[in-house]
Each structure stands twice: as C-alpha cells, then as structure tokens.
Amino acid sequence: MLVCFRSRIQTPARNDSLYSILKSPPSKTPNASKTLMAAPGTQLKSKRPTCPSCSKPTSLCLCIRIQNPGLQNKVNITILQHSLERKHALNSARIAKLGLQNVTVSTVSDVKFDAEFMIHLFDPGHNSGSGQNGEKSSDFYQVMDNEADEFDASHVTKGSKEPVITCSVGKYGVVTNISIGNVWMPHVQWKRRLSLDKILASKVAVDDLAKGFVVKKLQKRRVNGSDEVEEVEEFEVAVPPGSVLLFPSKNALDVDGLKAMDFEAKNLIVLDGTWSKARRMYCENPWLRFLPHLKLELDKLSLYSEVRHQPKAGYLSTIESIVYALEEIGDYPEGLDNLLGVFESMVSDQRRCKNERLSKLSSA
C-alpha cells in the first residue's frame, strides 16, 4: 500500500531488507489474500451457501416450501427473463420453474449496439400459399391445424434453407433493417420500404407464422471492455402454434376475447423483469408483435407492493401473473395456489431481512 498509494509516511529508520522487498518487481505468484480465501479449511468465505435449485441462501431455501413440485400444467410457460432479473432476490420466476413442469426460461439482454433476429417457420415444406385464395381465410387469432400441433424444433433450423424474416434492431427497438424470404415475396405488398406492419397485413405471412416458428437473436457486445465488438447468439426460442403473449398492449384481449376468436392458448409467453424492463424487452423484440396479446382484467394489489414498486393495481409479479393467467385460461392443476403462498413467504423473508438491516444501521 505504501508503494501503490505513494503515502508520505515517516518511519524512524529505514529497514533495508523491507525496503528491498517493497522496491522489488511484483512476484508472479498468486495474490496471498486470494490464496488464503480460496484455501480449504480457512474461515474466510466470500459467499453464503446457496441452494443449487432455487439459488437462494440455504437458510431461505424455497424448495422445501413447495408442497407439490413439478405440477403438470397443460399450457406451456415460456419466460423471457431480463438478464438483470435472473439473480434478483425477489425474482419470482424461480418459483414457476420449481413448481410447474412445463416451463422454459430464456435470458434476454437490453440491446446496446445492434441485434439481429432471424425467424424460421416450423414446417419449411408447408404450403406457403395456404391463404392466397381464401381457402384458410383466418384472422390473426385463428386456431392452428391439428397436424401442426406437434413439432420438432430441432428439425426446423436444420430444414429451413432461409429465414422468412431477418430484422435488425437498435437500442430501444428502432428497426434499422428488415427483409423477408423469397417464399413471401409475392404475398407481401411493399414498394419502397418493408415494415412489420406490412408483414402483418399479409394473410399468407400471418397464417404461416400462426403455424409456429423459431426465433434466433444475435446480439453485439464489447469484448472484455475493449472497443472491439463481437456477435454472439443470445437465444433461440421455439414459438409453437397456440402461443400467446401475456402483455397489456392496447390491442390485447382478455380470455373471453380469445375464446370469441376461437383461439386455444397452448403456450403462454411471459416477460420477466421490472415494468420498465419488460416494456423495453417488448420494444426490442419486435417478433412478439406476431403473437396475439393477452391481458388480465384484475384489480389486485401485488404481494410485491410492500418491498418493490408497483406502478398501480393490476401490475403483478411474474408468478402471480402466471398463476392468474392459468386460472383464467382454465389450466388449474391442484396445488397451483401454493405457489402464491411460497411467493408470499419469499416477500416476507425479504421484508424481514430489510428490517434487520435497518435496525442494525439505526443502532450503529
């Protein structure tokens, strides 16, 4: 520390052996303090022991609180989780992962430089002109054909020769470039500039997407904090037939509205993050616009409200939204309400820990 910070400290006499050590070049041996912390048997620990399943401290483990882990939900849950939410103490998506059997989680990051999305249809050999002459004159919310209900996502990326949509997106969802595959060229009406709205105006494109697709996101990021930028694959998500996005957009429908459209929800896509992060995820993932949107007509206060900001009534946590949505849809496995009890206990843990910290600060 004398050398690093150049402190002017007077000593009674210079110890030549100590001086020679301080002036000598830095050793290539590992840092002593790091070695001590890593050495087995030492009492210094950098982290509290955590549960490998729920990632909570073992003293606050959620696993033992779930009465019936792995409930059989018929409607699959796909969670798009913001990267900052994954390790948050109040992340409730972990309860869904533990409590429900059919749950998949994909991590989503904010667009910092540029992102590219590529969409491949589930069935590359399907009749892309299925809606051309009105044989399948479906609107956006029509139920998909029975033969398209089952799929093999691994077959899609191998079988598709080209994506039907390639889209470049900048920060906050600014679409900088978009192109479509040859299969849609005769059916999408555009002259000077292609847009998502023009794709959505094509009955052929909408019908093809309704049969299911796979979306891959390539994200650009800095390499080790340098000015060099590399492109990496962030996620590849399968969007099967019957997928619906749980998001209260202006065009969102309630469950009765979906039923009126004769739409059967089979896969519920949920955005996991703070409300500001969820809105940004929605803007920066324009492929979500190809899905029907579901809203919950609830006027409930979230259990979050005591420890986390809730903009207004009806703005719920991820696990609350999932449970209430499954109830509305009609997928209600026995023990589903227990997941809300587990969430309430997790919030109580956080509130107690917060009060304990404040108490220690006030007494110091």
Side-chain angles (χ1 to χ4, degrees), residues 297-335:
E297 298 287 2
L298 299 173
D299 195 26
K300 295 177 179 287
L301 280 176
S302 172
L303 295 170
Y304 260 149
S305 57
E306 295 185 22
V307 292
R308 204 171 187 182
H309 177 65
Q310 182 185 19
K312 61 181 180 179
Y315 282 55
L316 306 174
S317 67
T318 298
I319 187 61
E320 289 172 308
S321 300
I322 290 173
V323 169
Y324 293 139
L326 289 179
E327 289 179 357
E328 290 280 330
I329 292 171
D331 186 7
Y332 195 81
E334 185 177 355

Side-chain angles (χ1 to χ4, degrees), residues 2-55:
L2 292 174
V3 176
C4 294
F5 294 96
R6 298 180 182 177
S7 302
R8 296 182 179 180
I9 299 178
Q10 293 183 353
T11 56
R14 189 178 78 183
N15 185 314
D16 292 337
S17 60
L18 176 61
Y19 183 77
S20 62
I21 292 175
L22 293 175
K23 295 294 288 183
S24 62
S27 172
K28 294 184 180 180
T29 58
N31 182 278
S33 61
K34 291 183 180 180
T35 304
L36 179 62
M37 291 183 68
T42 60
Q43 295 184 353
L44 297 176
K45 294 183 179 180
S46 59
K47 293 182 179 179
R48 293 178 295 177
T50 59
C51 172
S53 297
C54 67
S55 302

